[in-house]
Amino acid sequence: MPTAGNAPSCAPAEAIRLEGVSFRHGAVRAVDGVSLGVPPGAFVTILGPSGCGKSTLLGIIAGHIAPAAGRVLLAGADATRLSPEARGIGMVFQNLALFPHLSAIDNVAFGPRARGAARVEALSRARAMLARVGIGDDEAARRPDGLSGGQRQRVALARALVTRPAALLLDEPLSSLDTHLRSQMLELVLRLHGETGIATLMVTHDPAEAMAHGDILVVMNRGKVVESGPPRRLYDSPRSEFTAGFLGPANIVDAAVAGLPGSGRVLVRPEHLEINPSGAAFTRPMVVARLEYHGHEMLATLADGPLRWVARGRGFPPVGTAVVAGASRVHPLETGGPP
Amino acid sequence: MTGRGAWLLVPALLACALGTAGGAALTLRMSLHAPGTGAGLYEPGSWSLASWAVLADAHHGRIIATTVVTGLAVAALSTAAGYLMALAAAPLSGWRFALAMGLILAPRLCGVLAALFGLQRLLPRGWPGGVLAETWLVAPYAALVLVVAMRGIDPALAAAARGLGAGPWLVLARVVWPLSLPAVALCLQLGWVWGLGAFLGPLFLGGPDQATLAVEMQRELFDLGRWPRAAADGVVLSLLCLMAFAASPRGARA
């Protein structure tokens, strides 16, 4: 079972292991005592708001940023002081960082050439890798500015994988794509991950993307790992209020104020708030205050005195209708936990 | 630039037309005057190729050759020096970058004559001294151009190259150098044009056998009073500058 948190631990033979890693940008703690493990072959997503230290963390793993404290272990060996070229890690940057003066195939052949392969062999490997990501000979001969956004993403992915890295880091590589291309690219990333079995660490700020595809989800905020674990557990049973709110719509209230069982802060997911329920843990009279249509579902805002609740479903009575709402599941949150 | 924005170029076009083209035309006309007689600097209203004929003699051939070689040497040396300075300064930030730029620009912060007087004490007299002096004067400009170009290169490209297995030297050779080539070409042009017009360096540090066209023009104008010959030298100098521009790589003009 992979581990993550702010306290060091020692799990052997993990593809990537961070132990108490910290880094400052001036006065700001960009990464603050992060410990994190990525098992061989796992697909781990790091989720967090902009500026929470996700990309800095990838930079530290790749060797582009030297941590102020802590250790980076790759396949169990201390790589904290290793140069980026000695780490054997593939990375796709947020802006892709394709070399603008080289053709797509020369971009992909760059890695093998830098690692000593003859030009003919490097080009052959690059051509084969480009074919795997769906880039033909015509596109391979073009420079990045002659390719579409999706093609550039594929070239960047091929370039990162062609050297058969020990781990693959993806720094929000899909953020500039439209929804359709994103899902296509994600499918490609997952297929290649399945084929190669390379431990992959993907940074994203999209909770849906992170939950849908990661074996392990790591939630970060203000440079710290807030929580980590299987996406479903984090969504259904988060420890912290931050995780509960960041992973999707959430009703987070004081149990006493809302008249719910228990004490302290509690979470009720919108899908667990039902209209006219049978067998709910608690029920309260509410009024439908607002409806949002999202195609496959609707979100309803329900007024309960000064409180506002969000419910998720497919059909709701019109705005202004008085209803009885009840929560089928109430999850207590930890107080005084991580940010 | 298209449409109404093109009108913004009018001042530059006027400056070119009046200052450069007009000056060039007047210089060309002066070179076609007959040499003056007695105390006259030239014969007004006359037409003659006499001043051009003298360019073919061996002495003038040597002067032109020295000028061209000086231009090439200043271009190469100033670009190389500027590249090294830019490589050192470009990755810096904050006060370190400000300090580095201050050091690079320091040679331009004192008067040219004062700087050349100091160089005269430090450098050997002769052609190398003259070339080094001119390089000293123009290298800060080359460094400025190259620093701007290098800071325009996305740092993620170097990071990507390192991650792909390239050491620092390979990153320099395969990423930074090719991406800075347009700026290098621009610096070579700048150094070439500056070196062709080298005057103070050769005057202060050059020997009598290493005169450049600019030094020769000064002698013809003020010592010998032969304006048509000085003008002919000026036209040759301008043509050499234009040839450099025509031969420059496409990237430098982009």
Side-chain angles (χ1 to χ4, degrees):
Chain A
M1 178 68 185
T3 56
N6 294 317
S9 66
C10 42
E14 284 171 316
I16 301 169
R17 170 127 211 99
L18 303 180
E19 290 183 356
V21 167
S22 296
F23 181 76
R24 278 176 175 275
H25 278 306
V28 178
R29 287 173 183 269
V31 175
D32 189 4
V34 167
S35 295
L36 171 71
V38 179
F43 195 103
V44 176
T45 49
I46 300 182
L47 176 70
S50 296
C52 74
K54 309 183 295 283
S55 296
T56 306
L57 199 61
L58 290 199
I60 289 171
I61 296 169
H64 304 310
I65 299 171
R71 293 202 308 161
V72 178
L73 291 96
L74 300 175
D78 190 345
T80 314
R81 306 272 169 236
L82 276 187
S83 62
E85 61 268 28
R87 298 194 180 201
I89 287 182
M91 184 162 177
V92 178
F93 290 76
Q94 190 169 9
N95 67 355
L96 304 181
L98 291 175
F99 306 123
H101 57 296
L102 299 180
S103 65
I105 193 164
D106 282 334
N107 261 280
V108 179
F110 188 100
R113 289 282 287 150
R115 292 184 187 281
R119 180 163 171 78
V120 174
E121 188 205 334
L123 287 174
S124 164
R125 282 171 59 185
R127 197 170 289 112
M129 195 65 230
L130 283 168
R132 281 179 78 177
V133 299
I135 295 291
D137 286 348
D138 179 39
E139 292 92 356
R142 292 188 213 153
R143 289 187 180 184
D145 59 4
L147 299 171
S148 70
Q151 288 168 336
R152 283 200 288 268
Q153 301 271 353
R154 288 167 190 270
V155 173
L157 193 57
R159 188 179 70 172
L161 286 172
V162 73
T163 52
R164 301 179 191 115
L168 177 64
L169 309 179
L170 307 171
D171 187 4
E172 300 202 49
L174 314 177
S175 57
S176 62
L177 298 181
D178 61 45
T179 312
H180 180 62
L181 270 179
R182 273 172 90 97
S183 86
Q184 273 188 352
M185 276 306 298
L186 207 47
E187 202 174 301
L188 176 65
V189 168
L190 292 169
R191 176 168 66 75
L192 290 171
H193 173 254
E195 288 173 6
T196 59
I198 293 172
T200 302
L201 194 56
M202 184 172 84
V203 156
T204 178
H205 59 258
D206 182 344
E209 196 172 276
M211 285 191 291
H213 305 292
D215 301 322
I216 306 298
L217 174 58
V218 179
V219 180
M220 282 188 73
N221 190 31
R222 295 180 188 170
K224 290 175 182 284
V225 170
V226 179
E227 273 183 77
S228 69
R232 183 161 195 147
R233 184 183 72 67
L234 292 196
Y235 181 80
D236 287 339
S237 310
R239 289 202 329 268
S240 77
E241 197 170 320
F242 177 82
T243 305
F246 200 77
L247 289 184
N251 299 292
I252 299 169
V253 293
D254 282 320
V257 173
L260 291 167
S263 61
R265 302 286 278 173
V266 295
L267 164 71
V268 177
R269 286 287 178 203
E271 56 272 25
H272 296 143
L273 193 64
E274 299 170 18
I275 303 293
N276 302 322
S278 55
F282 94 114
T283 57
R284 290 176 72 89
M286 299 184 191
V287 175
V288 179
R290 186 166 164 231
L291 292 173
E292 287 175 32
Y293 180 64
H294 287 272
H296 61 290
E297 65 174 10
M298 288 180 81
L299 287 181
T301 304
L302 306 175
D304 173 15
L307 293 177
R308 290 290 179 274
W309 298 80
V310 179
R312 193 200 300 266
R314 294 181 65 87
F316 290 96
V319 171
T321 308
V323 296
V324 173
S328 58
R329 186 168 187 277
V330 179
H331 174 72
L333 298 169
E334 286 181 11
T335 51
Chain B
M1 190 177 290
T2 56
R4 279 192 290 180
W7 288 102
L8 296 171
L9 289 173
V10 166
L13 291 172
L14 279 175
C16 278
L18 297 176
T20 308
L26 289 173
T27 305
L28 180 63
R29 173 66 186 101
M30 176 55 69
S31 72
L32 296 171
H33 278 104
T37 53
L41 301 171
Y42 62 96
E43 287 296 328
S46 63
W47 291 89
S48 168
L49 289 173
S51 298
W52 285 92
V54 82
L55 294 178
D57 71 29
H59 174 65
H60 249 84
R62 272 197 306 277
I63 289 175
I64 291 172
T66 302
T67 304
V68 169
V69 174
T70 301
L72 289 172
V74 170
L77 288 175
S78 62
T79 303
Y83 204 88
L84 293 177
M85 288 190 275
L87 270 181
L92 302 176
S93 60
W95 67 268
R96 289 182 182 85
F97 179 67
L99 179 64
M101 292 312 295
L103 290 172
I104 287 172
L105 294 174
R108 306 303 299 148
L109 297 180
C110 71
V112 173
L113 290 176
L116 285 175
F117 182 77
L119 289 173
Q120 201 177 25
R121 299 278 162 198
L122 295 169
L123 297 175
R125 198 158 179 88
W127 182 79
V131 166
L132 288 175
E134 293 294 334
T135 300
W136 169 271
L137 293 172
V138 75
Y141 297 121
L144 267 183
V145 170
L146 288 161
V147 163
V148 171
M150 285 183 194
R151 285 173 79 86
I153 297 173
D154 181 0
L157 296 179
R162 294 291 301 274
L164 290 167
W169 289 107
L170 200 56
V171 172
L172 176 63
R174 301 276 320 270
V175 179
V176 178
W177 171 253
L179 290 176
S180 56
L181 269 183
V184 169
L186 197 62
C187 290
L188 286 172
Q189 262 187 324
L190 181 70
W192 165 250
V193 171
W194 184 288
L196 284 179
F199 174 67
L200 289 173
L203 192 66
F204 273 65
L205 289 111
D209 295 334
Q210 288 101 30
T212 57
L213 276 171
V215 173
E216 180 66 5
M217 283 167 66
Q218 186 267 347
R219 201 174 68 91
E220 297 279 3
L221 277 171
F222 300 112
D223 296 345
L224 304 175
R226 297 192 296 212
W227 282 25
R229 282 178 64 168
D233 285 337
V235 172
V236 171
L237 198 54
S238 302
L239 288 175
L240 287 171
C241 290
L242 286 175
M243 281 166 57
F245 184 77
S248 69
R250 195 176 44 170
R253 279 176 277 156

